[in-house]
Amino acid sequence: MEYILKNGIVYDPANNVAGEKKDVMFKDGKIVDNVSSDAKILDVTDKIVMPAGVDPHAHVAGPKLVTGRIYRPEDSRKGVTAKKGVCRSESGFSIPSCPATGYRYSRMGYGTVTEAAVPPLEAKHTHEEIMAIPNVDVTPLPLFGNNWFVLQYVKEGQIEEIAAFISSWLKIVKGYGIKIVNPCGSEAWGWGMNVHGIDDPAPYWDVTGREMVRALSQANEMLGLPHSIHVHPNDLGHPGNFPTTVGTMDCVKDVEKNSSVRNQTIHITHAQFHSYGGTSWRDAESGAGEVADYVNKNKHVTCDVGQVTLDETTTMTADAPMEYDLSRLNGLKWANKDIELETAAGLVPFIYSGKAPVSSLQWAIGLELFLKIEDPWQVCLTTDHPNAGPFIRYPRIISWLMSNQRRQEMMDNREVHPWSHKRTSLATLDREYDFNEIAIITRAAAAKIYGYQDRGELTPGYNADIAVYDLNPNDIDPSKEPAAIEQAFGNAMYTIKDGQILVKDGEVVQIKPSQTIWTNVQGYEEQEKMIMEKVMPTFNTYYTVKFENYKVHDHYLPNPIEVKVQASK
Amino acid sequence: MLNLKTITLTLKKKSQIALEFDELIPDNIYNWEKSDFEEYQVPVGNSRFPLTDYFDIDVEGTAESPEEVKMILDGDMGRVKYIGSKMGAGEIIVNGDADLHCGAEMIGGKITVNGDAESYAGREMKGGELTIMGNTREFCGCSYIGDWRGMSGGKITIQGNAGKQLGECLSGGEIYVKGDCDILAGIHMTKGFIQIDGNVTRWPGGQMKNGNILINGRLGTLLEGFVQDGVVTDPDIDGKAFSGKYIKYTGDIALNGKGGLYLNAEKNRDLL
């Protein structure tokens, strides 16, 4: 089937197209240069056309989500809709049901999302859930930052072994890249402890976060994986944590990049939670300036923000000790899980209120990061869904970024607490994003950071993943009309995925099975065989499952997208 | 209460699966004619059936707003759920028993149940008045499952007995029980007032942080988290005057709570 999207105003940052009136053509699911006269014409005259959105960091599939749904029935009763047309019924606000997750991403014009924390032991379940999410492709990132095998090889300084372990484990769990959460901290939590800075050792291992991050980064580059290490630094959410964040970014500065498909060697996730100054919540202030400054001066770093949306949500992370702290702080219910030998996890409901000083400070710090990081290719739009707010708020965040007037209004009329401007520099920042920059932070940059070679741009040969928004960029002043921006970005006029029209006029009109994107490292077979022989005795001694039951078999990925990477030294 | 329009639904057939009445509240139906009710399909399980399958319908008078509506439900409504759920104004009288969630999330108006009400009566009630002439069961005036925010306003009166976890997570409003009450009344409560005139099995105020519970009957077992402050005479609680002698406790100290628990001194001499 051939299509022409006619007369749209195209934003395709990867190809330096910024608001040009032109046609976008696709055929058999791929973008093409030419189509025949039989092509079906979709008239999108003067509407915004962009590649479909790419979410670089969210929690959408896996055991945490299920625990969240079980222990928060009060969340599941929000957002309930009856089945309609091709859609099944939906439920949930911060932890939507699997079908709702797919539909809601589709309605925003998104086509790809990363599930940013997969405990290898629970990978099977994660893939099962991905199967139940329609319409968006999912990139799972397995957790390695507290894994006993990695800890052991870091302790011994065996980078080669780590690379072989990663290469092998990505095959076993069908993962895409390396996720590190609070390195050594979640392991310490098994003993009721935590680590704070990057130089605190994990108990009984005598390995520090710095050593873990460096070693995993070296292994990542040794394999030449398409995505860099994806790091949730130590000390999340604690006042005075920005030096740890800067230190984490800096500790891999000398590691040489070994991949042509991305620019960075480290991706810092939900940087907002890691950009606090002060010593306690009494004197907390923004550290966004220092973090943004480091990002501006160093091209080996990218980040996403984790913008607080001022909603009631469910926090869930493999940073289990942080969740314990959070549950003590807000006194609400808490779920905790130990994943043997690999990691831990925690969940706590949280209410980010504009009336609360801390929530308002976090809200402002997130926006400060967006506005202070100069190169939009180094920053992505996320809410760390559902931790800082549900992903359905992305359109609202876009409206905040595009309208200084709206931000000032929120501070002036006390929609947010005065801490938002007294303890940050947000009130002095008048930068406003334009549509091209929005296209970068919501799709092009994320695709580049992940080294995707099939999406995130409207280049011929790429997947026909396209979003059309019902806005005429020459007609609207986003600064003055934030509500219209939020409405348009939340209800795509068209969402096209692999050439299929999934959303029309804000309604999901077609369902498509999601695909799982994973990395298959080639040319490392010998080392992998060797490492499996080394690992198995420990595995058999300490794991409560048999290895045969641990591996993710092919039928858990009915629609895989296998990214083959040639390992090189 | 001014009621210009009277809508009478008389039960003619009881369903085995509960009917759901949350759409049939004065706020939605104040301008409905008899023919509208005859066309209406009531949710039953995963389907809908004509209301006329179950009820004879009679509509008298007219109403300009929900306040002017009185709904009378005649017969055994023991299989009718969500009666008056989320209602904001008007009056509902149930001449029989009511099923689950009667008056749940009610905002205003008045409901009278001239029989027993099942569990979850007045769940998350925010305002208005709910009167149950008979007994009610578990979780009266409570929160939604999993939530930590319960009833926040309004008044529930139970002429009979109440079940377990009455006023769980209460954060406002008043609950009066004329009869006896089972375990854990006012568990997790943070504000509001509960008065129980009959006997209480055990553990009132478990993990309460604030608010007041007054018991005029005999208490079976008191929780360890309550500290006796002494005997007070004719106390004044939340602006309400009570006469007689009460043993006053503060708790639950397990949660550093500042809640008040008043026990009739005469009936609970053993605790003195």
Side-chain angles (χ1 to χ4, degrees):
Chain A
M1 196 69 178
E2 298 175 287
Y3 284 94
I4 307 180
L5 281 166
K6 213 155 181 62
N7 288 328
I9 297 180
V10 178
Y11 292 90
D12 181 13
N15 290 307
N16 293 317
V17 178
E20 249 175 69
K21 192 162 189 167
K22 58 185 273 192
D23 299 342
V24 174
M25 289 162 271
F26 55 96
K27 182 183 175 184
D28 301 331
K30 300 284 178 196
I31 307 273
V32 290
D33 270 335
N34 288 298
V35 283
S36 70
S37 55
D38 298 338
K40 201 171 163 191
I41 295 171
L42 300 174
D43 182 22
V44 293
T45 305
D46 293 333
K47 308 293 183 198
I48 290 179
V49 178
M50 292 180 179
V54 177
D55 187 340
H57 184 104
H59 302 278
V60 293
K64 289 199 302 293
L65 277 293
V66 176
T67 305
R69 291 185 194 108
I70 292 169
Y71 106 133
R72 287 209 68 197
E74 77 275 13
D75 186 81
S76 293
R77 74 167 165 162
K78 294 178 195 161
V80 176
T81 62
K83 82 174 178 187
K84 187 181 170 197
V86 296
C87 293
R88 299 169 61 177
S89 58
E90 297 177 33
S91 69
F93 173 70
S94 65
I95 12 173
S97 59
C98 292
T101 301
Y103 307 152
R104 290 175 192 179
Y105 266 112
S106 267
R107 287 189 198 113
M108 298 195 308
Y110 270 65
T112 310
V113 54
T114 295
E115 164 47 58
V118 181
L121 184 66
E122 308 275 2
K124 265 186 179 171
H125 177 78
T126 308
H127 287 286
E128 280 176 327
E129 227 178 313
I130 292 171
M131 280 192 261
I133 299 174
N135 287 11
V136 279
D137 296 344
V138 184
T139 308
L141 294 183
L143 293 153
F144 291 108
N146 292 280
N147 187 296
W148 281 19
F149 298 111
V150 178
L151 282 160
Q152 181 64 35
Y153 298 131
V154 171
K155 190 176 182 173
E156 293 164 5
Q158 312 262 30
I159 305 299
E160 179 85 13
E161 261 84 351
I162 297 171
F165 179 80
I166 299 289
S167 161
S168 174
W169 243 251
L170 291 180
K171 287 189 180 75
I172 291 167
V173 304
K174 299 289 189 287
Y176 188 77
I178 300 173
K179 175 69 187 287
I180 304 168
V181 172
N182 189 4
C184 301
S186 304
E187 166 55 26
W189 178 239
W191 308 97
M193 295 179 241
N194 193 2
V195 300
H196 296 286
I198 47 172
D199 293 315
D200 266 12
Y204 309 105
W205 289 101
D206 201 26
V207 170
T208 65
R210 181 192 299 275
E211 289 165 337
M212 288 295 274
V213 170
R214 269 191 70 79
L216 284 165
S217 162
Q218 285 162 346
N220 195 99
E221 300 310 329
M222 196 176 268
L223 295 170
L225 296 182
H227 185 42
S228 64
I229 49 168
H230 191 101
V231 184
H232 156 147
N234 300 114
D235 228 7
L236 179 143
H238 297 142
N241 63 8
F242 80 82
T244 299
T245 313
V246 171
T248 307
M249 295 189 281
D250 201 49
C251 81
V252 296
K253 195 175 179 179
D254 59 327
V255 176
E256 201 178 328
K257 177 172 77 93
N258 174 29
S259 171
S260 56
V261 294
R262 59 174 149 92
N263 293 331
Q264 85 285 8
T265 50
I266 183 168
H267 178 83
I268 296 286
T269 191
H270 38 73
Q272 177 272 127
F273 286 115
H274 302 277
S275 302
Y276 304 154
T279 56
S280 73
W281 284 120
R282 281 175 206 283
D283 65 354
E285 55 179 10
S286 172
E290 289 84 348
V291 172
D293 193 43
Y294 187 88
V295 175
N296 289 336
K297 287 183 182 142
N298 292 280
K299 291 293 163 199
H300 73 282
V301 188
T302 57
C303 68
D304 60 75
V305 169
Q307 174 63 36
V308 162
T309 63
L310 305 174
D311 285 294
E312 177 182 323
T313 192
T314 313
T315 64
M316 49 176 69
T317 170
D319 194 341
M322 191 286 297
E323 287 287 25
Y324 171 77
D325 292 349
L326 199 59
S327 72
R328 295 304 97 173
L329 194 70
N330 75 2
L332 298 180
K333 52 189 172 179
W334 166 56
N336 177 60
K337 185 152 185 184
D338 175 44
I339 313 282
E340 53 192 61
L341 278 71
E342 293 181 351
T343 181
L347 289 98
V348 179
F350 206 82
I351 302 167
Y352 294 98
S353 163
K355 293 194 183 90
V358 171
S359 305
S360 304
L361 177 68
Q362 293 175 310
W363 171 83
I365 290 173
L367 291 174
E368 264 191 296
L369 284 169
F370 276 119
L371 300 172
K372 285 189 165 175
I373 294 176
E374 288 153 11
D375 181 0
W377 288 92
Q378 282 181 282
V379 60
C380 297
L381 172 61
T382 65
T383 58
D384 185 18
H385 165 85
N387 286 304
F391 65 80
I392 51 170
R393 294 290 188 232
Y394 290 178
R396 183 169 296 174
I397 299 168
I398 292 174
S399 77
W400 290 335
L401 294 176
M402 297 190 87
S403 174
N404 180 35
Q405 192 177 317
R406 175 75 190 122
R407 300 194 297 263
Q408 300 296 340
E409 182 185 298
M410 287 177 77
M411 290 183 274
D412 290 344
N413 65 16
R414 290 232 172 189
E415 282 176 67
V416 285
H417 188 274
W419 273 29
S420 59
H421 51 270
K422 289 196 172 143
R423 300 192 178 206
T424 77
S425 58
L426 183 62
T428 65
L429 302 172
D430 57 3
R431 178 175 169 196
E432 289 179 334
Y433 273 63
D434 60 25
F435 286 111
N436 192 51
E437 288 172 314
I438 294 294
I440 297 172
I441 63 165
T442 56
R443 42 265 287 162
K448 177 79 184 164
I449 288 165
Y450 275 86
Y452 294 138
Q453 296 295 290
D454 60 352
R455 62 195 67 214
E457 42 192 278
L458 302 174
T459 310
Y462 272 54
N463 294 346
D465 288 6
I466 308 163
V468 181
Y469 298 107
D470 190 3
L471 275 180
N472 180 345
N474 302 321
D475 226 24
I476 188 167
D477 181 356
S479 186
K480 302 237 163 18
E481 295 175 68
I485 296 290
E486 182 178 346
Q487 165 67 20
F489 278 98
N491 298 279
M493 188 178 170
Y494 287 107
T495 302
I496 297 161
K497 179 104 191 78
D498 295 325
Q500 299 178 37
I501 297 169
L502 300 185
V503 171
K504 191 166 185 301
D505 299 325
E507 299 277 343
V508 178
V509 294
Q510 198 181 333
I511 305 299
K512 174 186 177 302
S514 59
Q515 296 192 273
T516 314
I517 309 170
W518 71 284
T519 308
N520 189 352
V521 181
Q522 308 283 297
Y524 228 61
E525 290 72 18
E526 279 305 307
Q527 292 95 321
E528 280 177 32
K529 207 169 148 237
M530 186 189 72
I531 200 76
M532 289 314 288
E533 278 167 19
K534 276 179 110 168
V535 158
M536 283 323 287
T538 310
F539 192 101
N540 290 334
T541 310
Y542 291 110
Y543 270 83
T544 56
V545 297
K546 287 254 182 215
F547 187 74
E548 291 71 26
N549 297 321
Y550 180 85
K551 191 174 182 309
V552 174
H553 299 284
D554 288 345
H555 65 267
Y556 284 90
L557 288 84
N559 306 297
I561 296 175
E562 184 180 329
V563 178
K564 285 201 169 131
V565 176
Q566 211 60 44
S568 54
K569 279 192 188 175
Chain B
M1 193 168 273
L2 116 144
N3 290 312
L4 301 171
K5 182 173 191 170
T6 307
I7 298 159
T8 312
L9 302 180
T10 311
L11 190 79
K12 59 182 185 190
K13 186 179 90 180
K14 193 173 170 181
S15 171
Q16 277 204 307
I17 300 168
L19 277 57
E20 292 172 28
F21 257 43
D22 46 337
E23 291 166 352
L24 293 176
I25 54 174
D27 309 66
N28 296 339
I29 59 162
Y30 66 92
N31 54 3
W32 283 22
E33 303 292 333
K34 190 173 179 193
S35 59
D36 296 315
F37 287 99
E38 282 167 354
E39 280 165 31
Y40 176 72
Q41 306 252 329
V42 62
V44 182
N46 62 2
S47 312
R48 281 175 178 263
F49 293 99
L51 187 64
T52 48
D53 285 5
Y54 303 98
F55 292 95
D56 287 324
I57 298 151
D58 191 36
V59 181
E60 274 174 32
T62 56
E64 296 287 315
S65 68
E67 287 84 18
E68 297 171 4
V69 173
K70 183 200 274 191
M71 282 180 75
I72 299 172
L73 309 182
D74 270 335
D76 176 10
M77 303 291 152
R79 291 270 67 192
V80 181
K81 292 198 292 194
Y82 298 105
I83 294 171
S85 174
K86 295 186 182 162
M87 76 185 263
E91 187 176 3
I92 298 179
I93 297 168
V94 184
N95 290 318
D97 296 346
D99 203 354
L100 299 161
H101 305 288
C102 175
E105 297 175 72
M106 183 177 175
I107 300 155
K110 191 169 187 298
I111 301 176
T112 308
V113 180
N114 288 313
D116 295 344
E118 251 290 349
S119 298
Y120 292 105
R123 162 176 63 77
E124 294 173 287
M125 196 163 139
K126 295 182 181 73
E129 262 183 73
L130 169 64
T131 307
I132 299 162
M133 302 307 286
N135 306 320
T136 187
R137 300 204 28 202
E138 282 44 280
F139 298 110
C140 178
C142 71
S143 69
Y144 187 80
I145 47 164
D147 212 324
W148 55 92
R149 293 158 290 202
M151 172 177 170
S152 56
K155 181 177 166 186
I156 300 177
T157 309
I158 302 150
Q159 295 291 341
N161 306 326
K164 299 176 176 68
Q165 312 218 167
L166 172 88
E168 174 237 24
C169 295
L170 189 75
S171 65
E174 300 162 17
I175 303 178
Y176 297 91
V177 183
K178 307 290 182 190
D180 297 340
C181 187
D182 205 342
I183 61 171
L184 291 167
I187 180 171
H188 296 297
M189 76 187 268
T190 54
K191 217 175 155 187
F193 177 71
I194 299 175
Q195 178 181 337
I196 302 161
D197 291 341
N199 301 327
V200 172
T201 318
R202 54 182 180 266
W203 306 332
Q207 305 216 329
M208 76 189 287
K209 286 209 123 168
N210 221 322
N212 290 295
I213 303 174
L214 182 132
I215 297 170
N216 280 320
R218 205 188 126 69
L219 173 62
T221 313
L222 180 74
L223 269 172
E224 285 74 8
F226 285 81
V227 183
Q228 201 176 109
D229 297 335
V231 175
V232 289
T233 310
D234 300 341
D236 188 68
I237 306 166
D238 290 352
K240 291 174 270 284
F242 295 89
S243 61
K245 286 191 172 169
Y246 290 90
I247 315 171
K248 162 119 196 328
Y249 293 87
T250 300
D252 183 335
I253 57 169
L255 253 78
N256 202 15
K258 306 277 185 291
L261 175 63
Y262 297 82
L263 302 181
N264 185 308
E266 196 59 40
K267 298 263 178 63
N268 295 286
R269 279 171 177 276
D270 53 319
L271 291 170
L272 277 169

